[in-house]
Short mmCIF file of all heavy atoms in Angstrom, two decimals:
data_model
loop_
_atom_site.label_atom_id
_atom_site.label_comp_id
_atom_site.label_asym_id
_atom_site.label_seq_id
_atom_site.Cartn_x
_atom_site.Cartn_y
_atom_site.Cartn_z
N MET L 202 128.55 101.71 108.35
CA MET L 202 128.53 100.96 109.58
C MET L 202 128.38 99.48 109.23
O MET L 202 127.48 99.09 108.51
CB MET L 202 127.34 101.43 110.43
CG MET L 202 127.15 100.70 111.68
SD MET L 202 125.75 101.24 112.67
CE MET L 202 125.39 102.85 112.09
N ASP L 203 129.29 98.68 109.73
CA ASP L 203 129.26 97.25 109.46
C ASP L 203 128.19 96.56 110.31
O ASP L 203 128.13 96.77 111.52
CB ASP L 203 130.62 96.61 109.75
CG ASP L 203 131.71 97.15 108.83
OD1 ASP L 203 131.37 97.55 107.70
OD2 ASP L 203 132.88 97.15 109.25
N LYS L 204 127.39 95.72 109.66
CA LYS L 204 126.33 95.01 110.37
C LYS L 204 126.94 94.05 111.38
O LYS L 204 127.85 93.29 111.07
CB LYS L 204 125.48 94.25 109.37
CG LYS L 204 124.27 93.59 109.99
CD LYS L 204 123.42 92.94 108.94
CE LYS L 204 122.20 92.33 109.59
NZ LYS L 204 121.33 91.72 108.60
N GLY L 205 126.44 94.11 112.62
CA GLY L 205 126.90 93.21 113.65
C GLY L 205 128.18 93.61 114.34
O GLY L 205 128.59 92.99 115.32
N ARG L 206 128.84 94.64 113.87
CA ARG L 206 130.09 95.10 114.49
C ARG L 206 129.77 95.85 115.78
O ARG L 206 128.87 96.69 115.81
CB ARG L 206 130.82 96.01 113.52
CG ARG L 206 132.16 96.46 114.03
CD ARG L 206 132.90 97.19 112.95
NE ARG L 206 134.15 97.68 113.50
CZ ARG L 206 134.70 98.83 113.15
NH1 ARG L 206 134.14 99.58 112.25
NH2 ARG L 206 135.82 99.20 113.70
N LYS L 207 130.52 95.58 116.82
CA LYS L 207 130.30 96.21 118.11
C LYS L 207 130.67 97.70 118.04
O LYS L 207 131.72 98.05 117.51
CB LYS L 207 131.13 95.51 119.18
CG LYS L 207 130.77 95.89 120.57
CD LYS L 207 131.46 94.98 121.56
CE LYS L 207 130.97 95.29 122.95
NZ LYS L 207 131.49 94.36 123.94
N ILE L 208 129.81 98.54 118.57
CA ILE L 208 130.04 99.98 118.57
C ILE L 208 130.21 100.42 120.02
O ILE L 208 129.31 100.21 120.84
CB ILE L 208 128.87 100.73 117.91
CG1 ILE L 208 128.70 100.26 116.47
CG2 ILE L 208 129.10 102.22 117.96
CD1 ILE L 208 127.49 100.81 115.79
N THR L 209 131.35 101.02 120.33
CA THR L 209 131.63 101.43 121.70
C THR L 209 132.21 102.84 121.73
O THR L 209 132.54 103.41 120.69
CB THR L 209 132.65 100.48 122.37
OG1 THR L 209 133.86 100.50 121.61
CG2 THR L 209 132.12 99.06 122.46
N GLY L 210 132.31 103.36 122.93
CA GLY L 210 132.97 104.64 123.16
C GLY L 210 132.33 105.81 122.46
O GLY L 210 131.10 105.94 122.42
N GLU L 211 133.19 106.66 121.92
CA GLU L 211 132.72 107.90 121.29
C GLU L 211 131.82 107.63 120.09
O GLU L 211 130.84 108.33 119.87
CB GLU L 211 133.93 108.73 120.85
CG GLU L 211 133.57 110.11 120.39
CD GLU L 211 134.79 110.95 120.05
OE1 GLU L 211 135.78 110.85 120.80
OE2 GLU L 211 134.74 111.69 119.06
N ALA L 212 132.13 106.59 119.32
CA ALA L 212 131.32 106.26 118.14
C ALA L 212 129.89 105.90 118.56
O ALA L 212 128.92 106.29 117.89
CB ALA L 212 131.94 105.11 117.37
N ARG L 213 129.74 105.18 119.67
CA ARG L 213 128.41 104.81 120.16
C ARG L 213 127.64 106.05 120.60
O ARG L 213 126.45 106.18 120.32
CB ARG L 213 128.54 103.82 121.31
CG ARG L 213 127.23 103.24 121.78
CD ARG L 213 127.46 102.21 122.88
NE ARG L 213 126.24 101.61 123.35
CZ ARG L 213 125.76 100.44 122.95
NH1 ARG L 213 126.43 99.73 122.07
NH2 ARG L 213 124.64 99.97 123.43
N GLY L 214 128.32 106.95 121.29
CA GLY L 214 127.68 108.19 121.73
C GLY L 214 127.23 109.05 120.56
O GLY L 214 126.13 109.62 120.57
N GLU L 215 128.07 109.13 119.53
CA GLU L 215 127.72 109.91 118.34
C GLU L 215 126.53 109.29 117.61
O GLU L 215 125.62 110.00 117.17
CB GLU L 215 128.91 110.02 117.40
CG GLU L 215 130.03 110.90 117.94
CD GLU L 215 131.26 110.88 117.05
OE1 GLU L 215 131.24 110.28 115.97
OE2 GLU L 215 132.26 111.50 117.46
N LEU L 216 126.55 107.96 117.48
CA LEU L 216 125.44 107.27 116.82
C LEU L 216 124.15 107.48 117.60
O LEU L 216 123.11 107.78 117.03
CB LEU L 216 125.73 105.78 116.66
CG LEU L 216 124.62 104.95 116.04
CD1 LEU L 216 124.28 105.45 114.64
CD2 LEU L 216 125.02 103.48 115.99
N ALA L 217 124.23 107.36 118.92
CA ALA L 217 123.05 107.55 119.76
C ALA L 217 122.49 108.97 119.59
O ALA L 217 121.27 109.15 119.49
CB ALA L 217 123.39 107.28 121.22
N ALA L 218 123.36 109.96 119.54
CA ALA L 218 122.91 111.35 119.37
C ALA L 218 122.25 111.54 118.00
O ALA L 218 121.20 112.20 117.89
CB ALA L 218 124.08 112.30 119.54
N ASP L 219 122.84 110.96 116.96
CA ASP L 219 122.27 111.06 115.61
C ASP L 219 120.90 110.37 115.54
O ASP L 219 119.96 110.91 114.95
CB ASP L 219 123.20 110.45 114.57
CG ASP L 219 124.48 111.25 114.38
OD1 ASP L 219 124.51 112.43 114.79
OD2 ASP L 219 125.44 110.69 113.81
N LEU L 220 120.82 109.20 116.14
CA LEU L 220 119.55 108.47 116.12
C LEU L 220 118.48 109.22 116.91
O LEU L 220 117.32 109.27 116.51
CB LEU L 220 119.74 107.07 116.70
CG LEU L 220 120.56 106.10 115.85
CD1 LEU L 220 120.82 104.81 116.61
CD2 LEU L 220 119.87 105.82 114.52
N ARG L 221 118.88 109.82 118.02
CA ARG L 221 117.92 110.58 118.83
C ARG L 221 117.36 111.75 118.03
O ARG L 221 116.15 111.99 118.03
CB ARG L 221 118.59 111.09 120.11
CG ARG L 221 117.64 111.86 120.98
CD ARG L 221 118.25 112.31 122.28
NE ARG L 221 117.25 113.04 123.06
CZ ARG L 221 117.40 113.38 124.31
NH1 ARG L 221 118.50 113.06 124.96
NH2 ARG L 221 116.46 114.04 124.93
N LYS L 222 118.23 112.48 117.32
CA LYS L 222 117.77 113.60 116.50
C LYS L 222 116.76 113.12 115.45
O LYS L 222 115.72 113.75 115.24
CB LYS L 222 118.94 114.28 115.81
CG LYS L 222 119.78 115.12 116.72
CD LYS L 222 120.93 115.75 115.95
CE LYS L 222 121.95 116.36 116.89
NZ LYS L 222 123.13 116.83 116.16
N ALA L 223 117.09 112.02 114.78
CA ALA L 223 116.21 111.50 113.74
C ALA L 223 114.88 111.04 114.33
O ALA L 223 113.82 111.31 113.77
CB ALA L 223 116.89 110.34 113.00
N TYR L 224 114.93 110.35 115.47
CA TYR L 224 113.72 109.86 116.12
C TYR L 224 112.84 111.03 116.57
O TYR L 224 111.63 111.02 116.36
CB TYR L 224 114.09 108.98 117.31
CG TYR L 224 112.89 108.39 118.02
CD1 TYR L 224 112.23 107.28 117.51
CD2 TYR L 224 112.41 108.96 119.20
CE1 TYR L 224 111.12 106.74 118.16
CE2 TYR L 224 111.31 108.43 119.85
CZ TYR L 224 110.67 107.32 119.32
OH TYR L 224 109.56 106.80 119.96
N GLU L 225 113.45 112.03 117.16
CA GLU L 225 112.68 113.19 117.63
C GLU L 225 112.15 114.02 116.47
O GLU L 225 111.23 114.81 116.65
CB GLU L 225 113.52 114.02 118.59
CG GLU L 225 113.74 113.30 119.92
CD GLU L 225 114.62 114.04 120.90
OE1 GLU L 225 115.32 115.00 120.49
OE2 GLU L 225 114.62 113.65 122.09
N SER L 226 112.71 113.83 115.28
CA SER L 226 112.21 114.51 114.08
C SER L 226 111.09 113.72 113.41
O SER L 226 110.57 114.14 112.38
CB SER L 226 113.34 114.74 113.09
OG SER L 226 114.28 115.64 113.63
N GLY L 227 110.76 112.55 113.96
CA GLY L 227 109.63 111.79 113.45
C GLY L 227 109.93 110.42 112.89
O GLY L 227 109.01 109.67 112.57
N ALA L 228 111.18 110.05 112.75
CA ALA L 228 111.51 108.73 112.22
C ALA L 228 111.13 107.65 113.24
O ALA L 228 111.21 107.87 114.44
CB ALA L 228 113.00 108.63 111.92
N SER L 229 110.70 106.51 112.74
CA SER L 229 110.34 105.41 113.64
C SER L 229 111.58 104.58 113.97
O SER L 229 112.59 104.64 113.28
CB SER L 229 109.30 104.50 112.98
OG SER L 229 109.88 103.78 111.92
N ILE L 230 111.47 103.81 115.03
CA ILE L 230 112.58 102.92 115.41
C ILE L 230 112.82 101.92 114.29
O ILE L 230 113.97 101.64 113.93
CB ILE L 230 112.29 102.20 116.75
CG1 ILE L 230 112.22 103.23 117.88
CG2 ILE L 230 113.36 101.15 117.03
CD1 ILE L 230 111.86 102.65 119.24
N ARG L 231 111.77 101.40 113.70
CA ARG L 231 111.93 100.44 112.61
C ARG L 231 112.63 101.06 111.40
O ARG L 231 113.48 100.43 110.78
CB ARG L 231 110.58 99.86 112.20
CG ARG L 231 109.98 99.00 113.27
CD ARG L 231 108.89 98.08 112.76
NE ARG L 231 108.20 97.45 113.86
CZ ARG L 231 108.67 96.46 114.59
NH1 ARG L 231 109.86 95.99 114.34
NH2 ARG L 231 107.97 95.94 115.58
N THR L 232 112.30 102.28 111.08
CA THR L 232 112.95 102.98 109.98
C THR L 232 114.43 103.17 110.28
O THR L 232 115.28 102.94 109.41
CB THR L 232 112.29 104.35 109.73
OG1 THR L 232 110.92 104.14 109.40
CG2 THR L 232 112.98 105.10 108.61
N LEU L 233 114.75 103.57 111.50
CA LEU L 233 116.15 103.77 111.88
C LEU L 233 116.91 102.45 111.84
O LEU L 233 118.07 102.41 111.43
CB LEU L 233 116.23 104.40 113.27
CG LEU L 233 115.65 105.81 113.38
CD1 LEU L 233 115.64 106.27 114.83
CD2 LEU L 233 116.42 106.79 112.51
N ALA L 234 116.25 101.37 112.24
CA ALA L 234 116.89 100.05 112.20
C ALA L 234 117.21 99.66 110.76
O ALA L 234 118.30 99.16 110.47
CB ALA L 234 115.98 99.02 112.85
N GLU L 235 116.28 99.90 109.85
CA GLU L 235 116.51 99.58 108.44
C GLU L 235 117.64 100.41 107.86
O GLU L 235 118.49 99.90 107.14
CB GLU L 235 115.23 99.80 107.64
CG GLU L 235 114.15 98.77 107.91
CD GLU L 235 112.85 99.09 107.20
OE1 GLU L 235 112.84 99.96 106.31
OE2 GLU L 235 111.83 98.46 107.54
N ARG L 236 117.65 101.70 108.16
CA ARG L 236 118.68 102.61 107.64
C ARG L 236 120.09 102.22 108.10
O ARG L 236 121.04 102.37 107.35
CB ARG L 236 118.42 104.04 108.10
CG ARG L 236 117.32 104.74 107.41
CD ARG L 236 117.28 106.18 107.88
NE ARG L 236 115.99 106.78 107.61
CZ ARG L 236 115.55 107.89 108.15
NH1 ARG L 236 116.30 108.55 109.02
NH2 ARG L 236 114.37 108.37 107.84
N THR L 237 120.19 101.77 109.35
CA THR L 237 121.51 101.49 109.92
C THR L 237 121.92 100.03 109.78
O THR L 237 123.08 99.69 110.03
CB THR L 237 121.55 101.85 111.42
OG1 THR L 237 120.56 101.09 112.10
CG2 THR L 237 121.32 103.33 111.63
N GLY L 238 120.99 99.16 109.40
CA GLY L 238 121.30 97.74 109.31
C GLY L 238 121.40 97.09 110.68
O GLY L 238 122.03 96.04 110.83
N ARG L 239 120.81 97.70 111.68
CA ARG L 239 120.82 97.18 113.05
C ARG L 239 119.44 96.70 113.43
O ARG L 239 118.46 96.98 112.74
CB ARG L 239 121.27 98.27 114.04
CG ARG L 239 122.68 98.72 113.82
CD ARG L 239 123.62 97.62 114.25
NE ARG L 239 125.01 97.97 113.99
CZ ARG L 239 126.01 97.46 114.66
NH1 ARG L 239 125.80 96.61 115.64
NH2 ARG L 239 127.23 97.79 114.37
N SER L 240 119.35 95.99 114.55
CA SER L 240 118.07 95.46 114.99
C SER L 240 117.23 96.54 115.67
O SER L 240 117.75 97.55 116.15
CB SER L 240 118.27 94.30 115.96
OG SER L 240 118.77 94.78 117.20
N TYR L 241 115.93 96.26 115.75
CA TYR L 241 115.01 97.14 116.46
C TYR L 241 115.47 97.30 117.91
O TYR L 241 115.50 98.40 118.45
CB TYR L 241 113.60 96.52 116.40
CG TYR L 241 112.55 97.31 117.15
CD1 TYR L 241 111.72 98.18 116.48
CD2 TYR L 241 112.39 97.17 118.52
CE1 TYR L 241 110.74 98.90 117.15
CE2 TYR L 241 111.42 97.88 119.21
CZ TYR L 241 110.61 98.74 118.52
OH TYR L 241 109.65 99.45 119.19
N GLY L 242 115.84 96.20 118.55
CA GLY L 242 116.27 96.22 119.94
C GLY L 242 117.50 97.07 120.18
O GLY L 242 117.60 97.78 121.18
N PHE L 243 118.46 97.00 119.25
CA PHE L 243 119.67 97.80 119.37
C PHE L 243 119.34 99.28 119.31
O PHE L 243 119.82 100.08 120.12
CB PHE L 243 120.65 97.43 118.26
CG PHE L 243 121.91 98.25 118.26
CD1 PHE L 243 122.95 97.95 119.13
CD2 PHE L 243 122.06 99.34 117.40
CE1 PHE L 243 124.12 98.71 119.14
CE2 PHE L 243 123.21 100.10 117.41
CZ PHE L 243 124.25 99.78 118.29
N ILE L 244 118.50 99.67 118.36
CA ILE L 244 118.12 101.08 118.21
C ILE L 244 117.36 101.54 119.44
O ILE L 244 117.61 102.62 119.98
CB ILE L 244 117.28 101.30 116.93
CG1 ILE L 244 118.05 100.86 115.69
CG2 ILE L 244 116.83 102.75 116.84
CD1 ILE L 244 119.36 101.57 115.46
N HIS L 245 116.42 100.72 119.92
CA HIS L 245 115.64 101.05 121.10
C HIS L 245 116.57 101.27 122.30
O HIS L 245 116.42 102.24 123.05
CB HIS L 245 114.65 99.92 121.38
CG HIS L 245 113.66 100.21 122.45
ND1 HIS L 245 113.95 100.06 123.79
CD2 HIS L 245 112.39 100.66 122.38
CE1 HIS L 245 112.90 100.39 124.50
NE2 HIS L 245 111.93 100.76 123.67
N ARG L 246 117.54 100.39 122.47
CA ARG L 246 118.49 100.49 123.59
C ARG L 246 119.32 101.76 123.49
O ARG L 246 119.53 102.46 124.47
CB ARG L 246 119.38 99.25 123.61
CG ARG L 246 120.23 99.10 124.83
CD ARG L 246 120.90 97.73 124.95
NE ARG L 246 121.30 97.08 123.71
CZ ARG L 246 120.62 96.11 123.06
NH1 ARG L 246 119.53 95.65 123.52
NH2 ARG L 246 121.05 95.59 121.95
N LEU L 247 119.82 102.08 122.29
CA LEU L 247 120.62 103.30 122.12
C LEU L 247 119.80 104.56 122.40
O LEU L 247 120.30 105.50 123.01
CB LEU L 247 121.19 103.39 120.70
CG LEU L 247 122.53 102.74 120.45
CD1 LEU L 247 123.00 103.05 119.03
CD2 LEU L 247 123.57 103.16 121.44
N LEU L 248 118.55 104.57 121.94
CA LEU L 248 117.69 105.72 122.21
C LEU L 248 117.48 105.89 123.71
O LEU L 248 117.52 107.00 124.22
CB LEU L 248 116.35 105.57 121.48
CG LEU L 248 116.41 105.70 119.96
CD1 LEU L 248 115.06 105.34 119.35
CD2 LEU L 248 116.84 107.09 119.54
N ALA L 249 117.27 104.78 124.40
CA ALA L 249 117.08 104.83 125.85
C ALA L 249 118.36 105.33 126.53
O ALA L 249 118.30 106.16 127.45
CB ALA L 249 116.69 103.46 126.38
N GLU L 250 119.51 104.85 126.09
CA GLU L 250 120.79 105.30 126.65
C GLU L 250 120.99 106.79 126.45
O GLU L 250 121.61 107.46 127.28
CB GLU L 250 121.96 104.55 126.00
CG GLU L 250 122.10 103.12 126.44
CD GLU L 250 123.21 102.39 125.67
OE1 GLU L 250 124.03 103.05 124.99
OE2 GLU L 250 123.25 101.15 125.75
N ALA L 251 120.47 107.31 125.34
CA ALA L 251 120.62 108.72 125.02
C ALA L 251 119.61 109.60 125.76
O ALA L 251 119.59 110.81 125.59
CB ALA L 251 120.49 108.94 123.51
N GLY L 252 118.73 108.96 126.55
CA GLY L 252 117.74 109.72 127.32
C GLY L 252 116.53 110.14 126.52
O GLY L 252 115.81 111.06 126.91
N THR L 253 116.28 109.48 125.41
CA THR L 253 115.16 109.82 124.55
C THR L 253 113.84 109.40 125.18
O THR L 253 113.73 108.30 125.73
CB THR L 253 115.30 109.09 123.19
OG1 THR L 253 116.59 109.33 122.67
CG2 THR L 253 114.24 109.54 122.21
N ILE L 254 112.86 110.28 125.12
CA ILE L 254 111.50 109.93 125.56
C ILE L 254 110.82 109.27 124.37
O ILE L 254 110.62 109.90 123.33
CB ILE L 254 110.72 111.17 126.03
CG1 ILE L 254 111.42 111.78 127.24
CG2 ILE L 254 109.27 110.80 126.34
CD1 ILE L 254 110.85 113.10 127.68
N LEU L 255 110.50 108.00 124.52
CA LEU L 255 109.95 107.24 123.41
C LEU L 255 108.45 107.48 123.26
O LEU L 255 107.74 107.65 124.25
CB LEU L 255 110.23 105.75 123.61
CG LEU L 255 111.71 105.39 123.69
CD1 LEU L 255 111.88 103.91 124.01
CD2 LEU L 255 112.42 105.74 122.40
N ARG L 256 108.00 107.49 122.01
CA ARG L 256 106.59 107.69 121.70
C ARG L 256 105.81 106.40 121.98
O ARG L 256 106.37 105.32 122.04
CB ARG L 256 106.42 108.04 120.22
CG ARG L 256 107.08 109.33 119.83
CD ARG L 256 106.73 109.71 118.40
NE ARG L 256 107.29 108.81 117.40
CZ ARG L 256 108.45 108.99 116.79
NH1 ARG L 256 109.20 110.02 117.08
NH2 ARG L 256 108.87 108.14 115.87
N GLY L 257 104.50 106.56 122.08
CA GLY L 257 103.62 105.40 122.22
C GLY L 257 103.60 104.60 120.93
O GLY L 257 104.16 105.01 119.91
N ARG L 258 102.92 103.48 120.97
CA ARG L 258 102.92 102.58 119.83
C ARG L 258 102.10 103.07 118.65
O ARG L 258 102.22 102.55 117.55
CB ARG L 258 102.42 101.22 120.26
CG ARG L 258 103.43 100.55 121.20
CD ARG L 258 103.01 99.17 121.49
NE ARG L 258 102.81 98.45 120.25
CZ ARG L 258 103.02 97.16 120.10
NH1 ARG L 258 103.42 96.46 121.11
NH2 ARG L 258 102.80 96.56 118.95
N GLY L 259 101.21 104.03 118.84
CA GLY L 259 100.46 104.58 117.72
C GLY L 259 99.17 103.82 117.45
O GLY L 259 98.72 103.02 118.24
N GLY L 260 98.59 104.11 116.31
CA GLY L 260 97.31 103.50 115.97
C GLY L 260 96.17 104.33 116.53
O GLY L 260 96.37 105.32 117.23
N ASP L 261 94.97 103.91 116.23
CA ASP L 261 93.78 104.61 116.69
C ASP L 261 93.51 104.26 118.14
O ASP L 261 93.20 103.12 118.47
CB ASP L 261 92.58 104.24 115.82
CG ASP L 261 91.35 105.07 116.14
OD1 ASP L 261 91.47 106.02 116.95
OD2 ASP L 261 90.29 104.79 115.57
N THR L 262 93.67 105.24 119.01
CA THR L 262 93.47 104.98 120.44
C THR L 262 92.12 105.46 120.92
O THR L 262 91.78 105.28 122.08
CB THR L 262 94.57 105.69 121.27
OG1 THR L 262 94.54 107.08 120.98
CG2 THR L 262 95.94 105.12 120.96
N ARG L 263 91.32 106.05 120.03
CA ARG L 263 89.99 106.53 120.41
C ARG L 263 88.96 105.45 120.14
O ARG L 263 89.04 104.73 119.15
CB ARG L 263 89.63 107.78 119.60
CG ARG L 263 90.54 108.95 119.90
CD ARG L 263 90.26 110.08 118.96
NE ARG L 263 90.76 109.66 117.64
CZ ARG L 263 90.37 110.17 116.49
NH1 ARG L 263 89.49 111.12 116.46
NH2 ARG L 263 90.88 109.73 115.36
N SER L 264 88.00 105.34 121.01
CA SER L 264 86.92 104.38 120.80
C SER L 264 85.99 104.92 119.72
O SER L 264 85.73 106.11 119.64
CB SER L 264 86.12 104.19 122.08
OG SER L 264 86.94 103.67 123.09
N ARG L 265 85.49 104.02 118.93
CA ARG L 265 84.55 104.43 117.89
C ARG L 265 83.13 104.38 118.45
O ARG L 265 82.78 103.46 119.19
CB ARG L 265 84.65 103.51 116.69
CG ARG L 265 85.97 103.63 115.99
CD ARG L 265 85.94 102.84 114.70
NE ARG L 265 87.25 102.86 114.07
CZ ARG L 265 87.57 103.69 113.10
NH1 ARG L 265 86.70 104.55 112.64
NH2 ARG L 265 88.77 103.66 112.58
N LEU L 266 82.34 105.36 118.08
CA LEU L 266 80.96 105.42 118.51
C LEU L 266 80.14 104.46 117.65
O LEU L 266 80.14 104.55 116.43
CB LEU L 266 80.42 106.83 118.38
CG LEU L 266 78.98 107.06 118.78
CD1 LEU L 266 78.80 106.72 120.26
CD2 LEU L 266 78.58 108.48 118.52
N VAL L 267 79.50 103.51 118.28
CA VAL L 267 78.67 102.55 117.55
C VAL L 267 77.25 103.09 117.53
O VAL L 267 76.67 103.37 118.57
CB VAL L 267 78.70 101.15 118.22
CG1 VAL L 267 77.82 100.18 117.48
CG2 VAL L 267 80.13 100.65 118.31
N VAL L 268 76.70 103.25 116.33
CA VAL L 268 75.36 103.82 116.18
C VAL L 268 74.38 102.75 115.83
O VAL L 268 74.57 101.82 115.20
CB VAL L 268 75.34 104.91 115.09
CG1 VAL L 268 73.96 105.51 114.95
CG2 VAL L 268 76.36 105.94 115.40
#
């Protein structure tokens, strides 16, 4: 895939489906962006177009008990 080249039609749909499978298997958006040579925003947009339910941002969301 050429960096910066516009992807449309069937190729865009196929890429979106492939990215969705990888994302739902645990890959991060940043990892997918690095693999494809595309931006974070592009990958995020394609995942949304494909109907992907995006994960939360991660990190420790539990409060720590202060003793």
